[in-house]
Amino acid sequence: MAKRSSGILLFRRAAGGDLEVLLVHPGGPFWAKKDLGAWSIPKGEHDEGEDAQACAIREFTEETGSAPNPGELTDLGTVKLKSRKVVQAWALEGDLDASTVTSNTFSLQWPPRSGTFQDFPEVDRAEWFGLEEAAERINEAQAAFLERLRTRFG
């Protein structure tokens, strides 16, 4: 059975009415020097029987340090990553100061085989992007969420 993740694509309208989306960059040493194609929506794994929308809200809060603002979540469907993980996303209009994002952490043996464990943030930064730039930075499979957002709200 494929792993499942759920997340929220937070969006806002810029001064000219263009859509901007909040993306997060994964933390830890593997992602430290990766940029294009490395960004993601705030998301996380959940069990098959767990409520996916509740998971999306929980993971957004854990990865940004802020609960998503109240509002209607619009289903953007699912995508399948190269890892075969299935990601489901919801769009939510809102705002968040990206400079204040503080994520939960994970522990990793680093350097490898050193016996030393270090804590790293799941998300090391967040940023607002216009849809074109977001499409360059987001994980390739998740770019479909941007097109679905544009179709529904653009």
Side-chain angles (χ1 to χ4, degrees), residues 29-50:
F30 178 78
W31 298 103
K33 296 183 181 178
K34 293 177 175 36
D35 188 54
L36 298 181
W39 294 71
S40 174
I41 66 170
K43 63 173 178 46
E45 288 186 15
H46 62 88
D47 294 328
E48 185 70 32
E50 185 180 355

Side-chain angles (χ1 to χ4, degrees), residues 103-147:
S103 172
N104 56 339
T105 60
F106 67 95
S107 186
L108 176 71
Q109 185 175 181
W110 192 258
R113 298 179 294 286
S114 67
T116 303
F117 284 81
Q118 296 184 45
D119 288 337
F120 297 96
E122 278 195 43
V123 166
D124 61 17
R125 63 189 181 277
E127 200 168 320
W128 287 97
F129 297 104
L131 292 181
E132 286 72 32
E133 186 173 358
E136 293 177 11
R137 293 183 183 251
I138 199 167
N139 171 286
E140 182 180 5
Q142 291 181 43
F145 295 139
L146 302 175
E147 284 307 312

Side-chain angles (χ1 to χ4, degrees), residues 40-153:
S40 174
I41 66 170
K43 63 173 178 46
E45 288 186 15
H46 62 88
D47 294 328
E48 185 70 32
E50 185 180 355
D51 180 81
Q53 196 173 87
C55 171
I57 292 167
R58 179 191 71 231
E59 292 296 327
F60 184 94
T61 303
E62 287 180 1
E63 292 194 353
T64 67
S66 299
N69 56 290
E72 182 179 342
L73 292 172
T74 302
D75 190 357
L76 295 176
T78 62
V79 297
K80 187 179 277 190
L81 306 182
K82 287 181 182 178
S83 65
R84 298 196 311 224
K85 179 187 289 185
V86 175
V87 179
Q88 183 168 6
W90 286 269
L92 177 65
E93 189 166 6
D95 204 358
L96 177 73
D97 182 350
S99 69
T100 65
V101 165
T102 54
S103 172
N104 56 339
T105 60
F106 67 95
S107 186
L108 176 71
Q109 185 175 181
W110 192 258
R113 298 179 294 286
S114 67
T116 303
F117 284 81
Q118 296 184 45
D119 288 337
F120 297 96
E122 278 195 43
V123 166
D124 61 17
R125 63 189 181 277
E127 200 168 320
W128 287 97
F129 297 104
L131 292 181
E132 286 72 32
E133 186 173 358
E136 293 177 11
R137 293 183 183 251
I138 199 167
N139 171 286
E140 182 180 5
Q142 291 181 43
F145 295 139
L146 302 175
E147 284 307 312
R148 295 171 193 168
L149 180 76
R150 183 190 319 264
T151 299
R152 293 199 177 124
F153 297 97

